[in-house]
């Protein structure tokens, strides 16, 4: 198969949730389909996540892999403008920021792309 | 030693949670029979400092203001069926909360409610500040201390339950400890049973935010649909003697429990998955597995535990000055350009003394940073319904009052067609964290005499 890879937002491949502690944010990225987890591991890297949050000037970005959950956990330091008690953001907790990460573009190999875009409402 | 499965339900995941959530949880615990407990988690980082301020104004205040609204609907049934209630709704004044609960019990015709109070978290007094010593001064920076509270663990809760408490009222404890307490009391685990304690800790972690594990804070239409979200049921965990557990939810409610809802909450507010630190244990979820059993039941296995840390985390709250927010909306043709012009007017009028943040709701209002870097790169988009927001913080209120007057004055002096001005100025609390050796901040429980 030599078909071109399909570009999709991470949101089509994974779900996630933000959590905050002080000026530290964590975001989980959980593959809907374990077969696509290696694609996420390859492309959703610390460097790319740092780029996705460049305006917030992270002082550190760390990725932890949880293959048994087909998940990864990102920990971003210094991205919450001081945290919930110091930030001027409407969303001082950074609760919306999981969706900033899920907006990242991913290239899915054509062989794995079949079936993408279908509703993913089935029981996980 | 008791070995039967212990069911623990959650009636609230934060102070603002639904008052009617606990009822179906208790119904379900009663129907399934067997040993059970109910927890309420109502104490966020800042909630406690706000409670401390309330207590300064009124010595009988300083606990969860909605205490009765949370507990009254379920107290009698819990007492009748031997389901202890454990809540951190004592906040800055657990003794006053306990007295209120005894009064509530009396009003409901329940004689001699056994209420225990867990103490030792509050390090705000002279002795507590002494225990913190240099660690406090290092984060204080000359600011006025409002509250200092250590995150206590499950041991005192377990002691109170073993002594027969029907309700345990705490101030600051680690949220998962609310569930670890009844598990310790029920299974008789000891220091050293780290795997079991770590598993119960992760069970408590999954419970502590209420509906966040049962489909709340999860729905994403078309991607992650949740049945009857408006009636989302609150969670119940069923813990076995070795600590492994199943997550489920109240019967006949909306929401869902599946592998995805559990994974999202399992990783919520986790940093290093190999070292989730609580006062009770260091939990390691590196090899944890989540297995959907169907019918809104998910098994969690593979959590491991390591010896608990020697230090307790302490949250310290200081006076944090004031936060001002002003908003005005523009709609229709050229709305975004008019909103952007209004921001320029405010910036010019405010002068250099305040650091301002601007947002354009409808264009960019959440992903932006406080320094405006994101907004500066945001190409005008001709959005037709835009709400400008300006925010600033200061230690004094007066400069912020002047700023808010400038937002109001946009009505007559700003761009065309601005409407819907709202302004607010509220006091803020600043927080910091430090650590204290656990032997310097021991927790204990006290059983209240029946009123």
């Amino acid at each position: 198969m030599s078909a071109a890879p399909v570009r999709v937002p991470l949101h089509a491949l994974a779900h996630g949730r933000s959590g905050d502690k002080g000026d530290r944010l964590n975001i989980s990225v959980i593959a809907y389909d374990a077969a696509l987890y290696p694609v996420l591991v390859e492309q959703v890297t610390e460097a790319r996540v740092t780029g996705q949050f460049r305006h917030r000037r992270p002082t550190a970005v760390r990725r932890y892999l949880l293959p048994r959950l087909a998940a990864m956990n990102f920990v971003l330091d210094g991205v919450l403008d001081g945290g919930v008690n110091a930030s001027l953001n409407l969303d001082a907790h950074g609760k919306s920021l999981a969706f900033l990460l899920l907006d990242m573009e991913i290239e899915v190999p054509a062989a794995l792309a079949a079936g993408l875009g279908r509703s993913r409402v089935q029981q996980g | 030693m008791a070995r039967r499965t212990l069911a623990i339900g959650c009636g609230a995941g934060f102070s603002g949670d639904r008052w009617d959530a606990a009822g179906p949880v208790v119904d379900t615990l009663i129907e399934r029979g067997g040993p059970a407990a109910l927890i309420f988690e109502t104490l966020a980082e800042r909630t406690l400092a706000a409670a401390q301020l309330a207590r300064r104004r009124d010595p009988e205040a300083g606990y969860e203001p909605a205490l009765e609204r949370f507990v009254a609907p379920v107290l009698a049934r819990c007492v009748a069926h031997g389901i202890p209630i454990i809540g951190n709704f004592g906040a800055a004044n657990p003794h006053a909360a306990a007295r209120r609960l005894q009064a509530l019990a009396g009003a409901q015709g329940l004689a001699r409610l056994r209420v225990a109070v867990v103490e030792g978290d509050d390090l705000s007094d002279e002795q507590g500040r002494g225990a913190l010593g240099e660690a406090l001064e290092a984060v204080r920076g000359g600011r006025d201390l409002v509250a200092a509270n250590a995150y206590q663990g499950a041991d005192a809760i377990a002691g109170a339950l073993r002594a027969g408490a029907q309700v345990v009222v705490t101030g600051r404890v680690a949220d998962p400890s609310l569930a670890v307490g009844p598990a310790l009391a029920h299974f008789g685990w000891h220091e050293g049973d780290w795997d079991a304690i770590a598993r119960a800790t992760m069970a408590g972690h999954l419970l502590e935010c209420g509906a966040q594990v049962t489909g709340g804070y999860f729905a994403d239409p078309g991607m992650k649909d949740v049945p009857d979200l408006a009636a989302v049921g609150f969670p119940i965990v069923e813990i076995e003697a070795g600590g492994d557990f199943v997550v489920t939810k109240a019967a006949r409610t909306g929401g869902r429990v599946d592998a995805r809802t559990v994974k999202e909450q399992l990783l919520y507010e986790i940093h290093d998955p190999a070292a989730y630190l609580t006062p009770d244990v260091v939990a390691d979820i590196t090899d944890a597995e989540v297995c959907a059993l169907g019918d809104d039941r998910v098994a969690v296995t593979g959590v491991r535990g390591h010896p608990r840390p020697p230090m307790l985390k302490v949250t310290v709250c200081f006076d944090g000055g004031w936060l001002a927010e002003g908003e005005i909306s523009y709609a229709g043709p050229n709305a975004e350009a008019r909103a952007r012009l209004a921001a320029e007017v405010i910036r010019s009028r405010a002068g250099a003394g305040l650091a301002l943040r601007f947002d354009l709701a409808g264009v960019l209002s959440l992903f932006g940073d406080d320094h405006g870097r994101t907004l500066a790169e945001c190409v005008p988009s001709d959005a037709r319904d835009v709400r400008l927001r300006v925010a600033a913080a200061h230690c004094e209120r007066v400069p912020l009052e002047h700023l808010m007057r400038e937002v109001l004055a946009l009505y007559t002096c700003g761009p065309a067609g601005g409407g819907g001005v709202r302004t607010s100025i509220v006091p803020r609390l600043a927080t910091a964290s430090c650590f204290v050796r656990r032997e310097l901040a021991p927790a204990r429980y006290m059983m209240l005499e029946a009123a």
Side-chain angles (χ1 to χ4, degrees):
Chain A
M1 297 259 276
S2 58
V6 180
R7 291 171 173 273
V8 296
L10 179 56
H11 179 248
L13 308 177
H15 58 107
R17 181 173 290 182
S18 311
D20 71 302
K21 289 266 170 72
D23 203 10
R24 174 174 279 190
L25 175 73
N26 90 294
I27 302 176
S28 56
V29 175
I30 304 161
Y32 281 113
D33 180 351
L36 284 166
Y37 181 61
V39 176
L40 304 188
V41 171
E42 181 185 88
Q43 296 184 42
V44 189
T45 59
E46 290 173 355
R48 282 202 67 197
V49 171
T50 303
Q52 191 75 359
F53 284 82
R54 63 190 178 281
H55 293 113
R56 291 171 173 266
R57 306 277 161 89
T59 54
V61 173
R62 177 80 195 265
R63 182 178 80 167
Y64 298 93
L65 298 180
L66 295 129
R68 289 176 188 272
L69 303 179
M72 37 188 143
N73 187 39
F74 284 90
V75 179
L76 295 88
D77 284 333
V79 294
L80 292 176
D81 287 312
V84 65
N85 301 310
S87 167
L88 298 177
N89 199 321
L90 270 171
D91 175 18
H93 296 90
K95 287 184 175 288
S96 62
L97 293 175
F99 284 83
L100 176 56
L101 182 49
L102 293 175
D103 219 10
M104 178 185 291
E105 192 174 78
I106 304 295
E107 284 189 357
V108 181
L112 291 174
L116 283 182
R118 279 208 315 255
S119 174
R120 298 191 171 273
V121 295
Q122 66 269 32
Q123 181 91 8
Chain B
M1 186 183 296
R3 283 296 181 186
R4 295 169 68 193
T5 299
L6 172 69
I8 306 177
C10 176
F14 80 118
S15 179
D17 225 330
R18 291 181 179 160
W19 294 333
D20 59 3
V25 172
V26 172
D27 291 341
T28 307
L29 293 176
I30 292 170
E31 284 167 20
R32 74 182 293 285
L38 179 68
I39 67 169
F40 288 87
E41 199 292 286
T42 61
L43 201 53
E45 264 195 359
R46 289 180 301 174
T47 317
L48 212 156
Q52 195 70 255
L53 292 174
R55 184 182 183 174
R56 285 187 197 174
R57 292 190 295 270
D58 174 0
E60 277 299 304
Y63 55 87
E64 166 55 48
L67 174 65
E68 278 199 41
R69 303 301 298 253
F70 281 121
V71 176
V74 296
L75 180 61
R77 278 181 295 154
C78 285
V79 168
H81 291 86
I83 300 171
I85 296 172
I86 304 99
N88 57 10
F89 35 46
N93 200 350
H95 281 276
R99 288 191 288 274
R100 182 74 175 270
L101 286 167
Q102 285 188 325
L104 173 66
Q108 293 192 349
L110 305 168
R112 305 181 65 81
L113 184 70
R114 292 189 302 279
V115 183
V117 170
V118 170
E119 302 172 309
D121 65 303
D122 190 347
L123 304 178
S124 309
D125 63 9
E126 196 174 341
Q127 189 184 346
R129 294 196 304 271
L132 290 172
E134 287 299 308
L136 173 60
E137 294 312 314
V139 296
R140 185 170 189 161
R143 297 176 289 185
D144 287 339
L145 180 73
V146 175
N149 293 80
Y151 281 81
Q152 295 291 358
D155 291 344
I157 295 171
L161 291 170
R162 284 191 205 104
Q166 293 165 299
V167 181
V168 182
V169 182
T170 80
R172 174 63 72 208
V173 297
D175 297 342
S177 301
L178 295 170
V180 176
L184 286 178
H186 177 71
F187 292 114
W189 298 328
H190 296 100
E191 196 174 333
D193 295 333
W194 302 123
D195 286 343
I197 296 170
R199 289 164 191 160
T201 294
M202 297 321 294
H205 172 75
L206 288 168
L207 283 177
E208 68 167 85
C209 290
Q212 280 196 186
V213 72
T214 55
Y217 212 66
F218 177 82
D220 190 1
M223 300 299 293
K224 298 182 290 172
D225 287 318
V226 176
D228 201 5
L229 182 57
V232 64
F234 273 46
I236 293 169
V237 296
E238 300 166 357
I239 306 179
E240 294 169 18
D244 283 336
F245 59 91
V246 168
V247 186
T248 184
K249 69 181 181 70
R252 298 174 297 280
T253 58
R256 74 187 310 153
V257 181
D258 65 23
R260 302 165 308 166
T261 70
V262 172
K263 286 180 188 178
E264 273 197 29
Q265 191 57 20
L266 190 64
L267 294 173
Y268 179 68
E269 291 183 345
I270 295 288
H271 299 147
D272 180 355
Y276 178 60
L277 272 57
T278 80
D280 302 315
V281 71
V282 176
D284 178 351
I285 61 167
T286 308
D287 291 322
E289 294 195 56
V290 161
C291 180
L293 307 174
D295 294 329
D296 292 315
R297 296 174 61 82
V298 171
V300 178
T301 55
V303 174
R304 290 191 305 262
H306 308 292
R308 62 193 195 185
M311 309 290 278
L312 299 177
K313 182 180 167 184
V314 180
T315 293
V316 189
C317 277
F318 307 102
D319 176 24
W322 302 86
L323 171 69
E325 299 172 279
E327 299 182 347
I328 186 168
S329 285
Y330 298 87
N334 221 20
E336 183 175 338
R338 286 179 280 134
R340 287 178 180 264
L341 175 58
E344 287 175 34
V345 170
I346 294 292
R347 189 181 295 286
S348 172
R349 297 287 300 182
L354 286 174
L356 305 183
R357 176 189 170 110
F358 290 101
D359 292 294
L360 297 173
V363 179
L364 177 75
S365 67
L366 294 172
F367 288 168
D369 60 285
D370 275 5
H371 296 89
R373 291 184 287 257
T374 321
L375 189 60
E377 283 187 23
C378 170
V379 178
S381 64
D382 198 27
R384 291 171 61 92
D385 192 328
V386 180
R387 187 155 180 81
L388 171 70
R389 169 179 180 265
V390 55
H394 199 271
C395 57
E396 302 287 340
R397 188 183 165 102
V398 171
L400 298 173
E401 289 174 349
H402 290 162
L403 177 67
M404 292 299 98
R405 283 204 66 82
E406 290 295 343
V407 176
L408 187 60
L410 288 171
Y411 267 141
T412 54
C413 306
V421 170
R422 299 285 188 278
T423 64
S424 79
I425 302 176
V426 295
R428 279 191 137 183
L429 291 161
T431 58
S433 294
C434 60
F435 292 87
V436 64
R437 295 197 66 81
R438 61 170 67 235
E439 60 269 24
L440 294 179
R444 59 199 168 270
Y445 73 89
M446 177 187 290
M447 199 70 76
L448 254 66
E449 293 303 314

